[in-house]
Amino acid sequence: MIASLGMYDRPETAAANDALWAGIRDGLRAQGLTAADALTRGDLAYMAGWTSPDLIFSQTCSLPFRAKLHDQVRLIATPDYGLENCPAGFYRSVYVARHDDPRAQLADFGGSRFALNDGLSHSGWAAPWADHMARGLAIVPFLQTAGHRGSGIAVVQGQADYAALDQVSWNLMCRFDDFAKGLRVIDQTPISPALPFVTAKTQKGAQIYDALTGAIAALSGDHRAALQLRGCVTIPAAAYLDLPIPPAPFDEKYSD
């Protein structure tokens, strides 16, 4: 079976993610369910795993969930990261620019070189796209980096002018990555539901939810702090599905 927590998995959080899964796994087995011994990492932690009938537990991004996965997976719960000025279970993206860039606000960056992690990222593409449309600003996808850290590095190195980074990822960068000192936050997107925990449609969501909440409650203080995880909440799938789906970032609309 496939269990993964790839969205915020990095060397500094790997042990905490392993501990969280161990708690979920043991909780599932105590209910008589089968569960993977350890987390899956690599390609199966993402789309290949999310679409597999062998998926027992994972965390996906809300754009893949609403655009591709909602008919294939079961929504279990939404994590609460305790982010400032966000209700439980919600998050946002922060716009970052180089620390020495003289432009002061988001409007000053409209039409300049935007770095994004992936065209199927809510925080890196869908949320900033919708925010730019609402503000009447141009957004020009210039560089795809394959990760929020890559987007931050691209901005620091001058390969792009600005980027939108998941607030949880940004907090991790500020804590662990020296390059983050070369960036500053210039604005933020509106809030939206955080990255959902899911399982395959054939799995028993209520039992997985019970195992998840028990595992979070049992985490050590250090592991909880590493994951920024306060708990989880129940947010209806409609809150994800009602969000707009953006155009592909590098289609003809943005090629001129």
Side-chain angles (χ1 to χ4, degrees), residues 15 19 38 43 58 77 100 110 124 129 146 161 166 178 184 206:
D43 289 346
S58 190
D100 59 357
W129 169 81
D161 295 305
D166 172 330
D178 286 343
R184 61 185 172 87

Side-chain angles (χ1 to χ4, degrees), residues 190-256:
I191 61 171
S192 55
L195 284 65
F197 294 124
V198 298
T199 186
K201 203 77 167 181
T202 55
Q203 298 297 329
K204 298 178 179 180
Q207 290 175 284
I208 298 172
Y209 176 85
D210 289 344
L212 170 63
T213 55
I216 293 174
L219 279 176
S220 71
D222 287 346
H223 285 156
R224 188 186 299 272
L227 299 178
Q228 306 171 63
L229 189 57
R230 296 266 185 100
C232 64
V233 297
T234 301
I235 293 177
Y240 292 96
L241 301 181
D242 288 347
L243 294 170
I245 295 176
F250 295 103
D251 66 12
E252 293 181 2
K253 177 180 175 63
Y254 300 108
S255 63
D256 54 13

Side-chain angles (χ1 to χ4, degrees), residues 2-10 13-25 38-42 44-46 50 55 57-60 76 79 81 172 195-198 212 215-216 219 227 229:
I2 298 170
S4 63
L5 285 166
M7 302 309 289
Y8 301 121
D9 200 36
R10 50 181 292 160
T13 61
N17 277 326
D18 288 335
L20 176 58
W21 171 245
I24 298 169
R25 176 200 65 206
L39 286 173
T40 295
R41 289 181 164 94
L44 279 177
Y46 304 100
W50 298 333
L55 181 69
F57 183 82
S58 190
Q59 183 178 32
T60 185
I76 301 169
Y81 293 110
L172 291 170
L195 284 65
F197 294 124
V198 298
L212 170 63
I216 293 174
L219 279 176
L227 299 178
L229 189 57

